[in-house]
Amino acid sequence: MYGFINTCLKSLVVEKYGEETWEKLRLQAGVQDSFLTFEVYKDEITMQLVDKACKILGVPADTVLREFGEYFFEFCKRSGYDHMLRTLGGNLYEFIENLDALHSYLSLSYQEMNAPSFRVEKNEDGSMHLHYYSDRRGLCHIVPGIISAAALDFFNIEISMEIVNQTEEEERTGKKEHIVFLVTQTPVFSYKERNEFSSSLQNLADSEKQIENQLNKEDLEKNKNTIRDRGSSVCPAKKSHWKTIKGIITLGKGELSFRGRFDPVYPKNLWIDTKTFCNGLPFHMVFDKELRVKQAGVSIQKIVPGLQTMGICLDHYFSIVHPEVPFTISSIQKFINSQFVFQTRREMMPESWKHRPMLELRGQMIWMESLQCMLYLCSPLLRTLHELEERQMHIADIAPHDVTRDLILLNQQRLAEMELSNQLERKKEELRILSKHLEEEKKKTEALLYAMLPQHVANQLKEGKQVEAGEFKECTILFSDVVTFTNICAQCEPIQIVLMLNSMYLQFDRLTTVHDVYKVETIGDAYMVVGGVPVPVPTHAERVANFALGMIIAATGVQNPVSGNPIQIRVGIHTGPVLAGVVGEKMPRYCLFGDTVNIASRMESHGVPSKIHLSSSTYQCLKYKNFEMTERGEIEVKGKGKMHTYFLIRNKTATENEIMGRPMKDLDSGHESVTQPEKDQTPAIAMRYIDGPADAQNSLKRRNQAKIADLTGI
């Protein structure tokens, strides 16, 4: 199928079910995201898309196909085929009857198109039997969708279509699906139209009554005149020419309207001789029930010399390409309203002509009952001037009145435009894919940049702006290091140290996401984070405290490469003001400056293994925040003298899973997760903090929901 079909299917899914549904559908079907209009794709792609759509949407195939048929009709109208479809016929019967002709025309542009064939029969009760023939099985339910949408849009009627027969017929190209639909029609009237229709019927009845009264008066007057004429010796005058015309037409309001239907007038004799007929219609043939040729146009005789011998069998020189039916008079009569395409047989051509492409003829069949013969009025089926040259024909071989002459020239230009359009579409698709890849690479680059610098700082640098240093009146800074790191380095290979630090830092980095703190830098075994910078938050001390508790837990899962035991870390925290800004142009860094940084570093260096050492300012921030802390007392701090410090023990309300950013419940067991830290690959779940009134309300709501869940056992 052409990409036009798959593009329509994509448009339907995206428009009615969303871009996410299409993405899921195409991934399951294993197809590309977009299709070129004039590119031919395998039928399996369309079938696979339909099959996956049924499974994803949970609807049967006939429903999906009918909905696709309705949408396909609208899609064709939006794609520029609206006027072409509207002019196919004045009613539904004519519309369906000319669908094959439309496909024949479209095949000039879509040369690989394998379209279905339609045949329609009228029934006495006003219903119709629609015969549908297709090489593709299982797509017949598209037909009711297309026909019902066209009937409602073009002819304002609703139809119902049901399958009354379904068979497979052996045709020239193999088995072909043959579906027979019973089509019943119901006019659709709005309330206004219904009233107008009733009024029209009443007016019609009144008019008929007036005409009847008028005719009765005229008959009475005529009888009187007849009696009067009989008593007179004057010969009756001949009826004038005007009276004769007046009997046929009536003088309306500036218009001449016929009384009754149109009846054509035929001459008693055919006023054209045989020679003129064969020259005037150079592409025609007359054959009888046995397919014996009785007459042929001069151009066909020139192309197929065998036709100059009258009485030969037509099927010896031609084969039927469309419709795909046996070459018998009964099959031709069955499809009498279809366009027929004949192709010359190569084996019957002169030896010197056999290298040429075979000529195809396209035209209509007319059954002549009085002669019991079939007339085939046709024209050469040629799409381009190149095809004309290949068959060693000329424009002069086609009759001047035959629009095929113009069609060849117009289609030559049309094909050139299509090729240009196809190239533009390909370039557009290449640009779309390139743009998509570029966007993905841009996201990767931005993610890497945002990992090195705060996002707002990185954005300012990208825009070429100078980043001003900012003062933060209060923030909380954390330092950590590995106990006996120098001894470990002396006894291990460098790669072991790298692996150990990487394992530890990966878990620390994950915790920065859980508690939304900013990682400033790492130098060797030293790890530095800050809360409240670059985005000030009132809960900066709580965030850093919980982060520190998570570090202690995570460190127990990192193995000392020397002893094989879990490593130990020291953590120090201090709260105070800092100045923050970007330093340098090449590999710029976001750095913190101030005495707060020095004191936080001293808290770490004067700390105890596997303990979290707090300054008094941090203790004051956490004093009423559900943290358990113990007093260490006064200690001598290098460069600062005596300082009163504390140890952070635990968070009295948060669970280990909350601190580590793990799921609260195991979905299978309903118990808390016991995943080992070193193997924790689950997505980081951010811990909730109350930074404002809205956060406080949400927190209270969540606590109430948790209490209800505990009471109900959910």
Side-chain angles (χ1 to χ4, degrees):
M1 295 186 185
Y2 275 91
F4 184 82
I5 304 295
N6 296 330
T7 301
C8 175
L9 185 55
K10 174 187 175 180
S11 179
L12 167 64
V13 175
V14 171
E15 192 173 305
K16 294 199 173 183
Y17 303 101
E19 189 75 41
E20 298 80 9
T21 304
W22 165 251
E23 190 66 20
K24 183 179 178 182
L25 171 60
R26 79 166 191 86
L27 289 175
Q28 289 192 14
V31 302
Q32 63 265 45
D33 182 46
S34 59
F35 305 91
L36 301 178
T37 302
F38 300 106
E39 187 78 18
V40 180
Y41 298 88
K42 292 182 179 179
D43 289 355
E44 288 76 11
I45 293 178
T46 308
M47 300 299 185
Q48 189 75 356
L49 285 171
V50 172
D51 178 61
K52 296 302 179 184
C54 295
K55 293 178 180 177
I56 292 174
L57 302 177
V59 293
D62 56 342
T63 304
V64 171
L65 291 173
R66 184 182 178 95
E67 186 174 358
F68 172 71
E70 293 173 353
Y71 186 83
F72 181 70
F73 173 75
E74 295 297 329
F75 189 77
C76 289
K77 286 173 58 183
R78 293 204 303 262
S79 300
Y81 296 100
D82 184 22
H83 290 132
M84 189 181 296
L85 291 169
R86 287 183 184 276
T87 54
L88 279 184
N91 53 54
L92 184 60
Y93 175 83
E94 293 175 353
F95 177 85
I96 299 173
E97 194 177 45
N98 284 281
L99 283 177
D100 279 11
L102 174 63
H103 289 152
S104 178
Y105 167 75
L106 293 176
S107 66
L108 295 174
S109 301
Y110 299 89
Q111 297 182 15
E112 300 294 325
M113 184 172 67
N114 182 16
S117 183
F118 298 91
R119 179 167 61 88
V120 62
E121 299 171 344
K122 282 185 178 179
N123 300 324
E124 292 182 357
D125 60 355
S127 63
M128 295 183 291
H129 278 112
L130 171 59
H131 296 260
Y132 163 81
Y133 302 85
S134 177
D135 292 331
R136 301 182 178 95
R137 292 165 185 80
L139 298 180
C140 61
H141 295 287
I142 296 177
V143 178
I146 296 175
I147 300 300
S148 60
L152 187 60
D153 192 332
F154 293 162
F155 312 112
N156 202 33
I157 57 174
E158 289 182 346
I159 65 168
S160 63
M161 294 180 64
E162 58 176 312
I163 297 176
V164 294
N165 192 22
Q166 185 170 357
T167 59
E168 282 192 352
E169 297 182 358
E170 193 74 29
E171 300 293 356
R172 181 178 56 79
T173 56
K175 288 187 178 179
K176 184 179 283 289
E177 187 177 53
H178 178 198
I179 310 293
V180 182
F181 294 95
L182 176 63
V183 184
T184 54
Q185 309 177 45
T186 305
V188 179
F189 291 112
S190 64
Y191 179 77
K192 182 179 179 181
E193 290 173 335
R194 197 178 298 114
N195 290 338
E196 290 177 353
F197 183 69
S198 300
S199 301
S200 299
L201 290 177
Q202 184 63 40
N203 293 336
L204 182 60
D206 294 341
S207 300
E208 288 179 352
K209 191 171 182 181
Q210 291 177 4
I211 292 171
E212 186 177 354
N213 293 336
Q214 183 66 28
L215 289 174
N216 290 337
K217 291 180 180 179
E218 289 179 358
D219 290 340
L220 181 61
E221 188 66 29
K222 189 185 294 183
N223 291 335
K224 289 180 180 179
N225 292 337
T226 302
I227 295 171
R228 189 183 303 112
D229 291 340
R230 284 178 182 175
S232 174
S233 59
V234 181
C235 293
K238 289 185 178 180
K239 195 173 184 180
S240 68
H241 179 69
W242 170 248
K243 289 184 178 179
T244 303
I245 298 299
K246 191 176 180 181
I248 300 174
I249 58 176
T250 57
L251 189 63
K253 295 180 179 179
E255 295 181 353
L256 294 178
S257 58
F258 282 88
R259 288 179 180 172
R261 60 186 181 84
F262 168 73
D263 292 320
V265 177
Y266 300 102
K268 293 181 179 179
N269 299 311
L270 186 61
W271 290 90
I272 184 172
D273 61 84
T274 307
K275 184 177 179 180
T276 304
F277 189 88
C278 291
N279 282 291
L281 297 173
F283 289 94
H284 83 276
M285 289 181 287
V286 177
F287 54 95
D288 60 14
K289 289 183 176 181
E290 286 73 32
L291 304 180
R292 290 194 299 268
V293 177
K294 300 295 184 182
Q295 182 176 310
V298 293
S299 292
I300 291 186
Q301 295 179 35
K302 179 181 176 182
I303 296 168
V304 186
L307 294 181
Q308 291 181 313
T309 305
M310 298 303 165
I312 63 168
C313 287
L314 189 64
D315 57 343
H316 290 173
Y317 288 85
F318 293 95
S319 60
I320 299 179
V321 176
H322 179 83
E324 295 173 357
V325 295
F327 208 142
T328 61
I329 200 72
S330 58
S331 297
I332 293 173
Q333 287 178 327
K334 187 187 294 186
F335 286 84
I336 192 80
N337 292 320
S338 299
Q339 282 194 339
F340 277 78
V341 177
F342 282 8
Q343 186 181 61
T344 55
R345 292 186 180 275
R346 190 177 299 275
E347 63 272 16
M348 300 303 292
M349 294 296 103
E351 192 65 32
S352 59
W353 293 7
K354 288 187 178 180
H355 66 281
R356 302 181 190 173
M358 292 297 97
L359 178 67
E360 290 184 346
L361 303 172
R362 180 180 62 185
Q364 70 173 120
M365 295 289 182
I366 302 174
W367 176 249
M368 297 179 289
E369 185 66 31
S370 59
L371 300 176
Q372 290 292 293
C373 287
M374 187 73 72
L375 170 62
Y376 181 41
L377 288 172
C378 57
S379 298
L381 182 54
L382 300 169
R383 299 177 179 87
T384 63
L385 295 173
H386 178 66
E387 291 183 2
L388 191 73
E389 292 174 345
E390 281 184 328
R391 289 154 182 81
Q392 296 187 10
M393 293 179 60
H394 303 87
I395 294 290
D397 294 326
I398 305 172
H401 62 78
D402 194 338
V403 295
T404 305
R405 297 161 65 107
D406 300 325
L407 189 61
I408 292 172
L409 298 173
L410 289 173
N411 200 53
Q412 180 78 20
Q413 181 181 358
R414 165 69 175 157
L415 290 175
E417 292 173 353
M418 282 177 55
E419 180 60 27
L420 180 61
S421 175
N422 203 15
Q423 291 179 10
L424 290 174
E425 196 172 4
R426 288 179 185 277
K427 292 296 181 184
K428 179 182 176 183
E429 179 62 15
E430 290 174 5
L431 287 174
R432 188 192 69 81
I433 295 173
L434 187 62
S435 176
K436 184 178 179 181
H437 290 166
L438 186 62
E439 188 65 28
E440 291 173 357
E441 293 302 319
K442 181 182 176 184
K443 287 179 180 178
K444 291 179 184 178
T445 305
E446 287 180 345
L448 183 62
L449 182 61
Y450 295 154
M452 298 172 62
L453 294 168
Q455 185 170 343
H456 75 281
V457 173
N459 289 336
Q460 286 181 334
L461 290 175
K462 283 196 302 181
E463 294 170 3
K465 297 179 180 178
Q466 185 176 0
V467 181
E468 300 291 338
E471 183 180 354
F472 296 85
K473 293 183 178 180
E474 189 177 69
C475 68
T476 300
I477 298 175
L478 174 149
F479 278 93
S480 75
D481 74 343
V482 177
V483 179
T484 67
F485 181 71
T486 304
N487 295 335
I488 294 173
C489 290
Q491 301 177 49
C492 293
E493 295 291 331
I495 188 62
Q496 292 178 294
I497 302 300
V498 172
L499 292 174
M500 180 192 75
L501 292 178
N502 185 59
S503 173
M504 181 175 67
Y505 288 165
L506 283 176
Q507 296 188 58
F508 290 177
D509 291 346
R510 184 177 179 276
L511 288 171
T512 61
T513 303
V514 174
H515 301 286
D516 195 18
V517 293
Y518 180 68
K519 175 184 176 182
V520 181
E521 63 180 351
T522 57
I523 302 175
D525 64 325
Y527 195 94
M528 178 183 178
V529 299
V530 61
V533 177
V535 179
V537 288
T539 56
H540 53 85
E542 298 170 61
R543 293 172 185 271
V544 174
N546 283 323
F547 176 80
L549 292 170
M551 293 178 79
I552 299 295
I553 297 170
T556 61
V558 181
Q559 193 177 43
N560 186 326
V562 176
S563 64
N565 298 322
I567 63 170
Q568 290 183 309
I569 62 171
R570 283 188 297 264
V571 180
I573 304 175
H574 176 61
T575 301
V578 296
L579 187 71
V582 177
V583 178
E585 290 184 356
K586 189 173 184 180
M587 292 186 65
R589 300 302 304 268
Y590 189 72
C591 298
L592 306 181
F593 303 93
D595 194 46
T596 302
V597 179
N598 296 328
I599 296 175
S601 179
R602 295 287 184 268
M603 290 296 102
E604 175 268 317
S605 60
H606 290 74
V608 178
S610 299
K611 293 282 188 178
I612 302 169
H613 196 198
L614 307 179
S615 68
S616 58
S617 61
T618 305
Y619 171 80
Q620 293 299 325
C621 290
L622 299 176
K623 191 174 182 180
Y624 304 105
K625 301 294 184 180
N626 296 317
F627 286 95
E628 182 181 335
M629 295 172 286
T630 59
E631 185 177 0
R632 184 181 186 185
E634 282 191 355
I635 62 170
E636 186 71 27
V637 178
K638 182 180 178 181
K640 296 296 179 183
K642 293 183 181 292
M643 291 186 68
H644 206 84
T645 61
Y646 302 82
F647 286 124
L648 174 63
I649 306 301
R650 67 186 181 94
N651 186 318
K652 293 187 285 187
T653 58
T655 65
E656 180 180 317
N657 283 330
E658 285 182 290
I659 291 173
M660 299 302 294
R662 304 189 196 120
M664 290 296 295
K665 296 286 184 180
D666 188 307
L667 295 178
D668 295 329
S669 63
H671 301 296
E672 289 190 2
S673 173
V674 291
T675 308
Q676 293 299 321
E678 65 271 21
K679 305 214 174 157
D680 193 357
Q681 299 297 328
T682 57
I685 299 174
M687 192 169 178
R688 298 183 180 95
Y689 292 92
I690 302 173
D691 290 318
D695 293 325
Q697 291 180 0
N698 292 335
S699 178
L700 180 62
K701 184 178 179 181
R702 284 192 297 271
R703 284 200 297 270
N704 291 336
Q705 289 174 345
K707 289 179 181 179
I708 294 171
D710 291 338
L711 291 173
T712 57
I714 298 176

